[in-house]
C-alpha cells in the first residue's frame, strides 16, 4: 500500500516539494499586498472619505482605466487595489514564471529527456506539471480569500464571504489562463522565452483591451475580447462570481493545455 501511495502523481509531488520555499515567498507577497491595501479602507471610509477628491485629481480617463470609479465602496476598493491590480499582477507573474519553467525550462536544461528516460509518458508530464502550477496558484487564491475575510470587519470593507470566494476564484481563473497558455506554448516550442512571452501577453492583452473598452461607448465592444473583462466586468466582489465567465476562462485554459499536450506528445524533444 505504501509503495502504491508513493507513485500517485509523482511529478506533481516532486514539483511541489521542490518549490515550497519559493511558494512561501509568493505567499508572503500576496499577504503583504493585502495587509498593505485592505486596512487602509477604514481610514478613508465614512462621510468624509475623500475618494471623490482622489478620483477627481487623477488625469482624465485614468480613473476608468484603473477601475477606480467605485473606489468608495468596499467591493470597489478591494477590486481596484488588490483583485484587479496588485493581485492580478502577482498572479500573472507567478503564472508566467511557473508555467515557462514547467516543461520548456526542463527541456532547455536537459532534464526533460532524463525524466522521459525513466519511462514517464509525455501525457503524464503535461498533466502533472500543469497540475503542479495550478495547485500553487490555487494556494495563493485561498490565501487571498482567507486574508481578505480576516480583514473584512476591521477594515470596514463589509464584503459577503461568498463574494470574496467568488472574486478570488475569478482571480485564480485568470492566473490559470495565463499559466495554461504558457504551458501550452512551452510544450509546443520547447523554448522558455516563448512560453513566458505567451503567458504574459494573454494577461497584458486582456488588461489593455479592458482599459481601452472603458474609455468610451464607441469602443466598448473591446470588452468582448478581454479575458480581464470576462473575469471582473460583472464585479464579482459585489455580485458574486459569474459562472459563465469562469466556465469560459477555465474552458479556454483546458483547450490550450489539450492542444499543447497533443503537439508535445508528437514532436522530437531531443532536437
Amino acid at each position: 500500500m505504501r509503495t502504491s501511495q508513493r507513485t500517485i502523481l509523482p511529478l506533481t509531488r516532486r514539483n511541489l516539494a521542490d518549490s515550497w520555499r519559493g511558494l512561501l515567498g509568493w505567499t508572503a507577497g500576496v499577504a503583504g499586498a493585502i495587509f498593505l491595501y485592505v486596512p487602509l479602507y477604514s481610514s478613508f471610509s465614512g462621510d468624509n472619505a475623500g475618494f471623490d477628491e482622489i478620483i477627481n485629481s487623477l488625469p482624465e480617463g485614468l480613473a476608468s482605466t484603473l477601475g477606480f470609479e467605485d473606489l468608495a465602496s468596499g467591493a470597489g476598493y478591494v477590486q481596484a487595489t488588490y483583485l484587479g491590480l496588485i493581485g492580478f499582477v502577482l498572479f500573472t507573474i507567478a503564472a508566467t514564471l511557473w508555467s515557462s519553467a514547467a516543461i520548456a525550462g526542463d527541456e532547455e536544461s536537459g532534464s526533460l529527456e532524463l525524466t522521459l528516460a525513466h519511462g514517464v509518458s509525455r501525457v503524464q508530464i503535461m498533466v502533472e506539471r500543469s497540475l503542479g502550477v495550478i495547485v500553487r496558484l490555487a494556494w495563493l487564491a485561498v490565501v487571498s480569500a482567507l486574508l481578505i475575510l480576516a480583514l473584512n470587519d476591521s477594515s470596514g470593507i463589509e464584503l459577503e464571504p461568498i463574494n470574496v470566494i467568488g472574486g478570488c476564484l475569478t482571480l485564480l481563473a485568470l492566473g490559470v489562463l495565463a499559466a495554461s497558455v504558457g504551458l501550452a506554448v512551452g510544450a509546443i516550442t520547447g523554448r522558455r522565452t516563448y512560453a513566458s512571452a505567451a503567458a504574459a501577453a494573454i494577461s497584458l492583452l486582456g488588461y489593455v483591451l479592458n482599459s481601452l473598452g472603458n474609455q468610451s461607448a464607441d469602443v466598448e465592444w473591446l470588452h468582448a475580447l478581454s479575458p480581464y473583462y470576462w473575469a471582473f466586468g460583472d464585479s464579482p466582489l459585489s455580485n458574486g462570481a459569474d459562472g459563465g465567465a469562469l466556465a469560459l476562462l477555465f474552458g479556454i485554459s483546458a483547450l490550450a493545455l489539450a492542444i499543447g499536450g497533443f503537439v508535445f506528445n508528437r514532436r522530437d524533444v531531443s532536437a
Side-chain angles (χ1 to χ4, degrees):
M1 180 66 68
R2 290 181 180 178
T3 302
S4 174
Q5 288 178 344
R6 291 195 189 101
T7 61
I8 297 175
L9 300 175
L11 300 181
T12 299
R13 289 154 64 98
R14 170 53 60 186
N15 178 259
L16 295 176
D18 291 343
S19 62
W20 70 269
R21 291 181 181 84
L23 184 58
L24 285 180
W26 282 101
T27 303
V30 165
I34 292 174
F35 281 122
L36 175 63
Y37 285 101
V38 174
L40 287 177
Y41 181 76
S42 60
S43 302
F44 291 98
S45 60
D47 295 334
N48 299 315
F51 282 119
D52 289 338
E53 289 78 3
I54 294 175
I55 295 173
N56 292 333
S57 68
L58 296 174
E60 184 177 357
L62 184 59
S64 60
T65 298
L66 297 176
F68 282 3
E69 301 95 331
D70 190 31
L71 203 60
S73 72
Y77 176 81
V78 176
Q79 171 65 44
T81 57
Y82 178 71
L83 216 65
L85 188 59
I86 302 300
F88 173 68
V89 170
L90 290 173
F91 272 66
T92 296
I93 295 173
T96 298
L97 294 175
W98 295 341
S99 65
S100 63
I103 295 177
D106 274 6
E107 185 169 350
E108 289 186 347
S109 68
S111 60
L112 182 61
E113 291 185 55
L114 181 61
T115 301
L116 290 170
H118 284 80
V120 179
S121 71
R122 299 189 189 195
V123 172
Q124 183 180 357
I125 290 175
M126 187 71 185
V127 170
E128 291 202 39
R129 292 288 170 78
S130 300
L131 183 59
V133 173
I134 293 171
V135 166
R136 282 180 281 171
L137 289 171
W139 166 256
L140 296 182
V142 170
V143 169
S144 297
L146 291 177
L147 292 180
I148 292 172
L149 288 172
L151 296 171
N152 196 27
D153 293 333
S154 61
S155 64
I157 53 178
E158 299 181 346
L159 300 177
E160 293 292 333
I162 190 65
N163 291 349
V164 172
I165 294 171
C168 291
L169 180 61
T170 302
L171 180 60
L172 171 63
L174 282 175
V176 170
L177 176 63
S180 298
V181 171
L183 283 159
V185 172
I188 291 170
T189 66
R191 296 292 180 266
R192 188 168 185 172
T193 301
Y194 297 161
S196 297
I202 190 70
S203 296
L204 179 61
L205 180 63
Y207 186 84
V208 169
L209 289 174
N210 176 74
S211 298
L212 292 175
N214 289 341
Q215 299 305 304
S216 73
D218 294 335
V219 290
E220 280 186 353
W221 60 271
L222 291 173
H223 285 155
L225 305 177
S226 169
Y228 185 95
Y229 181 81
W230 305 342
F232 296 134
D234 197 36
S235 303
L237 289 178
S238 298
N239 304 315
D242 184 336
L246 290 175
L248 183 60
L249 290 167
F250 284 123
I252 293 175
S253 299
L255 178 61
L257 291 174
I259 294 172
F262 178 83
V263 176
F264 178 57
N265 198 39
R266 285 159 176 76
R267 72 175 179 84
D268 183 5
V269 299
S270 62

